[in-house]
């Protein structure tokens, strides 16, 4: 039994022992439906009707939003919410976001909304912005991890809206992945992690934003950014003036000095594994510094690992691909997976080059289109799990706008393994 199963068994028995026996069968038949989000509202409502019924019966259903796939249950039904924590293996001290479709609902759920909250709702809802307010009693403690605040968001996706309408209640919807894995941006990611553990999956295609919502705490003055996302700090400040950043955010992004014990070569700061999240199976190392030096270091490390029998993954950007092509030849997207397939099959076809040992190189996209890079990030991290890659070398992006949100997720995936290739750049 692996650790996740053991943890799930433990959580099952805790819940069955303490609550009115939410009976959790070993394996739930997971119903999957594919819908076209561009369908008219009436068609969507009729296609999704059975999933609304599942939620009404305390079931859990994965559905697309514009950020990532969410795992939905009624926000007013602790029995359904318990099932989310079990299915994901999510620690119970990690609070959930409540999703609504109408602004008026906010006032039933929270004590008060400051003027700046109203301004942000007008500017960014529906959309990838989550705001935290003082909660009303109607919100069960399990949603907020016992705290007195609640996080609210209005998603901008026709499928999410239709499911909330059909359920007749606000929905809690954490990302629909197994805790610790990269968030799902396609229905197949949800299937990989949660098949047999949840009641339904609504496949509505890929998620446009691709990383989770921005989270801002509106109970503080000035408000505090807790998680960067699709709505950037600059966009928020353009509406409500200066906000602050949570101290922990910059700690995650810089890495901090501490444990230098690591099997990774060079000077690696703080592999603070307690922060690991969004993590593929392979170890992730971020390389920060000037472009030329980063690429030189990636090439040097790749060679060292290859010579010790470890296959390397490289995360880069379109603008840098030519530097790798000089050494490794033309890089076609997905080429690494073909290489790994060849390795799996062992028997190479006559004349085929044995590329099994060459690195798997994936580009997030062009630096000119940082939003597209964000949308690709999690799928690329997950794809490495289908390969033999043991270590992923990721070039750092500029910490601006969506780049800041991408680096926040990458830093967590790397458990803060960050290599500064030119020390003078480290602020
Ligand atoms: P996920 O639903 O997986 O995107 O995670 C939701 C995240 O929102 C949590 O991990 C918290 O970081 C944040 N969050 C939700 N509710 C609260 C709250 N009441 N106070 C602070 N952060 C919250
Ligand atoms: Mg999550």
């Amino acid at each position: 039994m692996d650790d996740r199963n053991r943890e799930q068994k433990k959580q099952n028995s805790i819940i069955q022992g303490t609550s009115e026996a939410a009976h959790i069968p070993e394996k739930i038949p997971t119903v999957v439906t594919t819908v076209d989000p561009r369908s008219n509202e009436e068609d969507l409502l009729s296609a999704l009707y059975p999933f609304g019924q599942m939620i009404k019966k305390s079931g859990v259903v994965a559905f697309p939003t514009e950020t990532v796939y969410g795992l939905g249950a009624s926000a007013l039904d602790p029995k359904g919410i318990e099932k989310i924590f079990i299915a994901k293996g999510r620690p119970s001290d990690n609070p959930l976001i409540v999703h609504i479709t109408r602004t008026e609902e906010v006032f039933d759920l929270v004590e008060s909304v400051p003027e700046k909250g109203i301004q942000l709702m007008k500017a960014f809802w529906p959309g990838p912005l989550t705001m935290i307010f003082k909660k009303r009693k109607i919100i069960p403690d399990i949603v907020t991890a016992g705290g007195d605040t609640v996080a609210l968001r209005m998603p901008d996706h026709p499928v999410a809206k239709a499911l909330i309408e059909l359920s007749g209640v606000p929905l809690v919807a954490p990302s629909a992945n197994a805790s610790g894995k990269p968030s799902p941006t396609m229905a197949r990611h949800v299937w990989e992690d949660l098949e047999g553990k949840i009641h339904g999956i609504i496949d509505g295609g890929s998620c446009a934003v691709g990383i989770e919502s921005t989270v801002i705490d509106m109970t503080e003055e000035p408000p505090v950014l807790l998680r960067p996302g699709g709505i950037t700090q600059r966009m928020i400040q353009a509406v409500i003036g200066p906000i602050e950043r949570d101290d922990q955010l910059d700690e995650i992004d810089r890495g901090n000095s501490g444990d230098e014990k690591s099997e990774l070569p060079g000077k690696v700061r703080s592999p603070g594994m307690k922060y690991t999240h969004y993590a593929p199976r392979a170890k992730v190392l971020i390389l920060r510094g000037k472009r030329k030096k980063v690429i030189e270091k990636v090439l040097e490390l790749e060679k060292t690992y290859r010579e010790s029998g470890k296959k390397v993954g490289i995360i880069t950007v379109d603008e840098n691909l030519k530097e790798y092509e000089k050494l490794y030849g033309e890089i076609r997207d997905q080429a690494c997976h073909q290489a790994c397939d060849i390795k799996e099959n062992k028997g190479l076809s006559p004349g085929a080059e044995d590329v099994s040992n060459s690195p798997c190189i994936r580009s997030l996209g062009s630096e000119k289109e940082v939003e597209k890079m964000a949308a690709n990030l999690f799928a690329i991290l997950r794809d490495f799990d289908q390969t033999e890659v043991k270590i992923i070398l990721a070039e750092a992006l500029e910490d601006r706008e969506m780049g800041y949100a991408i680096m926040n997720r990458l830093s967590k995936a790397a458990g803060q393994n960050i290599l500064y290739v030119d020390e003078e750049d480290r602020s």
Side-chain angles (χ1 to χ4, degrees), residues 405-421:
I406 297 174
M407 287 314 298
N408 169 270
R409 306 312 192 269
L410 254 185
S411 304
K412 289 185 179 182
Q416 289 173 293
N417 286 322
I418 302 171
L419 182 60
Y420 291 85
V421 296

Side-chain angles (χ1 to χ4, degrees), residues 37 44 64-67 69 126 154-162 204-208:
L44 271 183
T65 78
E66 79 279 28
T67 58
Y69 273 74
M154 187 185 290
D156 185 16
H157 194 290
V159 172
K161 285 183 199 166
S206 299
C207 302

Side-chain angles (χ1 to χ4, degrees), residues 88 90 94-97 132 149-151 173-175 212 215 226-227:
K88 282 179 58 78
R90 184 177 173 107
N94 194 355
L96 303 174
I97 297 171
I132 292 170
T149 59
V150 64
S175 50
E212 306 84 348
V215 178
L226 300 183
R227 177 171 78 180

Side-chain angles (χ1 to χ4, degrees), residues 351-365:
E353 190 193 348
D354 182 357
V355 288
S356 58
N357 219 12
S358 48
C360 292
I361 302 176
R362 297 298 306 269
S363 170
L364 289 174

Side-chain angles (χ1 to χ4, degrees), residues 227-271:
R227 177 171 78 180
I231 305 293
T232 65
Q233 182 168 353
R234 187 182 56 79
M235 290 159 78
I236 293 171
Q237 294 189 153
V239 178
I240 59 166
I243 61 170
E244 284 179 358
R245 269 188 202 173
D246 187 59
D247 293 344
Q248 270 189 8
L249 270 185
D250 290 319
E251 206 174 292
I252 291 165
D253 299 325
R254 273 199 308 274
N256 50 32
S257 49
D259 182 7
E260 302 235 345
K261 264 188 291 160
S262 172
E263 61 180 88
L264 301 166
K267 189 165 189 183
V268 173
R269 286 198 162 83
S270 185

